[in-house]
């Protein structure tokens, strides 16, 4: 039996804007820890969804040259773990300042592994079956996977029960190579747990690697792409493994109206339009075309435009 047959498959929709004014959220959501909470956590915990998971927020923190506090993250994860399908290790992303790339990646892998063990054995009582060990896909993943899957906690006797491999980069050939390495190591250690492909919306990958039990649309938000993901320079719509569940219905005319709406909104709140549209992704986040955003985020006066 494959992991897919055992656990099924989910595509988590990355949630970055505040959701309000709806009774249910008929998709699965990926939330991101911010250091003091997670956007939409309170709302999602009180509204039906198909599932929720939580990323550590290490990447956006790294973009701001910050490193989030592991202890606070553990406390937050414990407080909300009953509402989560799984939550990520507080991984470490190397700072590009001094040293060779290989040395920085090795240090990051060692630090992430140390953090995983600290979370796994934390006295706070985390549900370790929901704790995903993060492996950065742009690094040498084999020794990291071997170390993880051969480990057993001296405290609990349990090992790694979920893996998450970061694959949100445009080199599709490298993604395939890394997944083949992961597949080989998984078979070698007879790993039967869940496996999340971070930032992957490629339906062929889902079908060709049945050990993948979930993926997410985070790479499309990171790359500021309107409703898709960048694969070898081409734009793909966000897909789940069988149907177009997130396809946007926003027309070009509606997008133009949204731009005007946001421009006026910037004036009202004193924001600089050029800065907002160019630097902080304000416009891209609002006009990102997806079915959920069409329904919940488009201003009412824009919905009438076809």
């Amino acid at each position: 039996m494959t992991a897919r047959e055992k656990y099924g498959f989910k595509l988590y929709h990355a949630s970055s804007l505040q959701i309000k004014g709806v009774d249910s959220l008929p998709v699965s959501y990926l939330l991101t820890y911010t250091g003091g909470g997670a956007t939409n956590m309170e709302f999602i915990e009180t509204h039906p969804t198909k599932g929720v998971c939580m990323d550590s927020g290490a990447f956006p923190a790294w973009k701001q040259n910050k490193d989030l506090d592991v202890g606070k993250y553990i406390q937050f994860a414990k407080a909300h773990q009953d509402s989560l399908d799984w939550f990520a290790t507080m991984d470490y992303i190397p700072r590009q300042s001094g040293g060779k790339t290989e040395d920085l990646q090795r240090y990051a892998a060692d630090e992430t592994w140390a953090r995983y063990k600290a979370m796994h054995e934390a006295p706070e009582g985390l549900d370790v079956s929901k704790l995903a060990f993060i492996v950065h896909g742009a690094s040498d993943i084999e020794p990291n996977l071997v170390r993880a899957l051969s480990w057993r906690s001296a405290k609990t006797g349990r090992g790694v029960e979920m893996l998450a491999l970061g694959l949100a980069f445009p080199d599709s050939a490298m993604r395939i190579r890394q997944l083949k390495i992961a597949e080989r190591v998984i078979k070698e250690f007879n790993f039967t747990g869940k496996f999340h492909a971070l930032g992957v919306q490629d339906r062929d990958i889902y079908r060709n690697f049945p050990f993948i039990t979930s993926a997410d649309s985070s790479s499309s938000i990171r790359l500021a792409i309107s409703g898709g993901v960048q694969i070898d320079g081409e734009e793909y719509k966000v897909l789940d493994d069988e149907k177009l569940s997130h396809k946007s219905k926003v027309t070009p005319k509606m997008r133009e109206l949204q731009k005007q709406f946001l421009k006026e909104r910037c004036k009202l709140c004193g924001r600089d339009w050029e800065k907002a549209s160019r630097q902080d992704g304000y416009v891209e986040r609002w006009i990102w075309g997806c079915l959920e955003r069409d329904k919940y985020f488009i201003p009412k006066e824009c919905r009438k435009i076809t």
Side-chain angles (χ1 to χ4, degrees), residues 195-212:
F195 187 101
H196 184 82
L198 283 159
V200 174
Q201 298 102 56
D202 187 326
R203 185 160 52 182
D204 289 337
I205 285 180
Y206 303 156
R207 289 174 171 169
N208 292 333
F209 295 96
F211 62 87
I212 296 175

Side-chain angles (χ1 to χ4, degrees), residues 167 169-179 200 205 231:
L167 297 166
F169 44 77
D171 187 341
S172 60
M174 182 177 182
R175 268 202 304 275
I176 298 299
R177 287 196 301 272
Q178 300 294 58
L179 283 167
V200 174
I205 285 180
I231 300 175

Side-chain angles (χ1 to χ4, degrees), residues 19-305:
I19 301 172
K20 56 186 176 180
V22 295
D23 296 322
S24 65
L25 301 165
V27 291
S28 302
Y29 275 86
L30 167 69
L31 308 185
T32 299
Y33 180 68
T34 62
T39 303
N40 295 319
M41 175 65 82
E42 182 177 347
F43 186 90
I44 284 177
E45 284 187 323
T46 57
H47 291 74
T49 70
K50 289 187 177 180
V52 183
C53 64
M54 183 171 70
D55 184 35
S56 69
F59 179 79
W62 171 79
K63 294 287 285 185
Q64 301 175 46
N65 200 31
K66 295 179 181 178
D67 191 21
L68 300 176
D69 185 274
V70 180
K72 290 181 179 179
Y73 179 63
I74 291 174
Q75 291 291 341
F76 186 81
K78 182 191 175 185
H80 298 279
Q81 62 185 353
D82 290 345
S83 301
L84 298 169
D85 294 342
W86 59 269
F87 48 91
T89 307
M90 176 55 73
D91 51 322
Y92 179 83
I93 300 177
R95 275 56 179 165
Q96 298 298 322
S97 57
K100 296 180 180 179
T101 299
E102 294 81 4
D103 294 336
L104 294 172
Q105 290 178 342
R106 189 159 41 249
Y107 176 81
D110 291 345
E111 179 64 20
T112 298
W113 176 239
R115 293 179 180 194
Y116 173 83
K117 291 193 293 182
M119 292 185 69
H120 192 285
E121 300 183 343
E124 287 84 352
L126 284 176
D127 183 350
V128 296
S129 69
K130 295 184 176 184
L131 175 61
F133 174 57
I134 303 294
V135 180
H136 297 156
S139 63
D140 183 5
I141 68 170
E142 184 164 358
N144 298 331
L145 289 170
V146 169
R147 173 170 58 183
L149 296 185
S150 59
W151 175 79
R152 293 294 180 273
S153 168
K155 180 179 178 181
T156 66
R158 298 171 70 172
V160 173
E161 298 180 38
M162 181 172 179
L163 293 168
L165 179 60
L167 297 166
F169 44 77
D171 187 341
S172 60
M174 182 177 182
R175 268 202 304 275
I176 298 299
R177 287 196 301 272
Q178 300 294 58
L179 283 167
K180 286 182 176 179
I181 291 171
E183 184 175 43
R184 175 167 49 79
V185 175
I186 283 171
K187 289 180 178 178
E188 178 183 345
F189 284 88
N190 194 29
F191 176 72
T192 58
K194 295 181 179 181
F195 187 101
H196 184 82
L198 283 159
V200 174
Q201 298 102 56
D202 187 326
R203 185 160 52 182
D204 289 337
I205 285 180
Y206 303 156
R207 289 174 171 169
N208 292 333
F209 295 96
F211 62 87
I212 296 175
T213 57
S214 60
D216 64 79
S217 64
S218 62
S219 63
S220 57
I221 283 188
R222 290 174 182 173
L223 296 174
I225 296 169
S226 296
V229 58
Q230 190 89 10
I231 300 175
D232 288 340
E234 295 183 12
E235 181 178 333
Y236 288 73
K237 287 293 180 184
V238 178
L239 306 173
D240 71 7
D241 69 334
E242 291 298 334
K243 62 182 182 301
L244 288 165
S245 65
H246 299 291
K247 187 175 180 179
S248 175
K249 296 179 181 178
V250 178
T251 64
K253 191 173 181 180
M254 189 184 289
R255 287 183 188 280
E256 288 303 313
L257 185 60
Q258 282 181 267
K259 286 184 180 180
Q260 292 303 314
F261 175 86
L262 291 173
K263 194 170 185 176
E264 292 302 316
R265 183 176 178 143
C266 279
K267 289 179 182 178
L268 288 173
C269 64
R271 295 174 66 103
D272 180 271
W273 167 254
E274 293 299 329
K275 181 179 179 181
S277 60
R278 182 180 67 254
Q279 294 183 6
D280 61 11
Y282 181 72
V283 176
E284 286 84 352
R285 289 199 302 271
W286 270 90
I287 304 179
W288 183 46
C290 63
L291 186 60
E292 293 77 23
R293 197 63 50 85
D294 294 351
K295 184 175 181 180
Y296 306 135
F297 294 100
I298 294 176
K300 290 182 179 179
E301 57 266 45
C302 296
R303 296 176 190 169
K304 300 175 183 179
I305 305 299

